């Protein structure tokens, strides 16, 4: 009563034969039934609880055995879900994982790699305290493993304070000694002198430095687990009076 195919839950198959006096014998191993194999009543049901090939034939004393009828059923585990899902969060998240398939085991990774049967078994919510991608797959004996599912989390404890640059910009009578500071403790300040916006690979500010020509100093601050600061920009003009800085 059930066509061959892939199913996401256990199934029930009803087997019938037109001859009421026939005995139905079946196997679930893919082998053709013999007189010693299990029987099922005419119109009876067989439970499909794992992937299998079901074969059934009719037997009757004094008559040739019927043609063997076969159907192949692939049971596949439902892919896990993660709660909460992907997103940016201002605090660590406890991520729960589940699958709709009963008696399945969820395994996961926290480094973005694809999970396999050797990876960590999900037993309790996973604490995600920094930016990372979780991936999960569910397994059940005798079933095809689920598709992989993933969720990416961007965790920020806040935004780093935008640096301040001193002295203020403008025309300079002498090369200024430039100092940069941020109110966020433990943040790393990075700066540029070519007018480009600082990135996480720009020069690290350690000590005040002299600017001897017309220069635009830009600075931003970075800290692990935080959103980078805005960019501060000040222009020093060693030639033309009246140049201005933008804090």
């Amino acid at each position: 009563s059930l066509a061959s195919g892939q199913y996401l839950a256990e199934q029930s198959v009803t087997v019938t034969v037109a001859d009421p006096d026939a005995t139905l014998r079946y196997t679930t191993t893919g082998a053709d039934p013999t007189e010693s194999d299990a029987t099922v009543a005419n119109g009876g049901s067989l439970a499909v609880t794992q992937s299998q090939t079901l074969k059934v034939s009719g037997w009757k004393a004094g008559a040739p055995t019927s043609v063997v009828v076969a159907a192949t059923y692939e049971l596949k585990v439902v892919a896990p879900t993660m709660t909460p899902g992907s997103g940016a969060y201002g605090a660590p998240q406890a991520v729960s994982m589940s699958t709709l398939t009963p008696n399945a085991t969820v395994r996961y990774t926290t480094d973005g790699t694809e999970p396999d049967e050797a990876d960590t078994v999900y037993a309790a919510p996973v604490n995600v305290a920094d930016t990372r991608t979780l991936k999960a797959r569910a397994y059940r004996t005798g079933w095809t493993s689920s598709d992989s599912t993933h969720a990416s989390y961007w965790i920020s404890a806040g935004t780093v304070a935008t640096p301040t640059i001193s002295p203020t910009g403008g025309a300079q009578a002498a090369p200024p000694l430039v100092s940069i500071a941020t109110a966020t403790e433990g943040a790393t300040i990075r700066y540029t002198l070519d007018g480009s916006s600082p990135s996480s690979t720009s020069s690290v500010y350690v000590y005040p430095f002299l600017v001897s020509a017309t220069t635009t100093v830009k600075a931003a601050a970075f800290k692990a687990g935080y959103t980078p600061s805005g960019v501060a920009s000040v222009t020093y003009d060693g030639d033309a009076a009246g140049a201005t800085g933008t804090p």
Side-chain angles (χ1 to χ4, degrees), residues 83-111:
T83 306
S86 296
Y89 299 91
Q93 298 296 303
V95 180
S96 298
M97 304 179 191
S98 63
T99 174
L100 294 176
T101 302
N103 304 315
T105 298
V106 176
R107 295 180 180 270
Y108 68 94
T109 62
T110 60
D111 59 2

Side-chain angles (χ1 to χ4, degrees), residues 15-22 24 40-44:
V15 184
T16 57
V17 62
D19 188 336
D21 296 323
L24 293 173
V40 58
N42 189 4

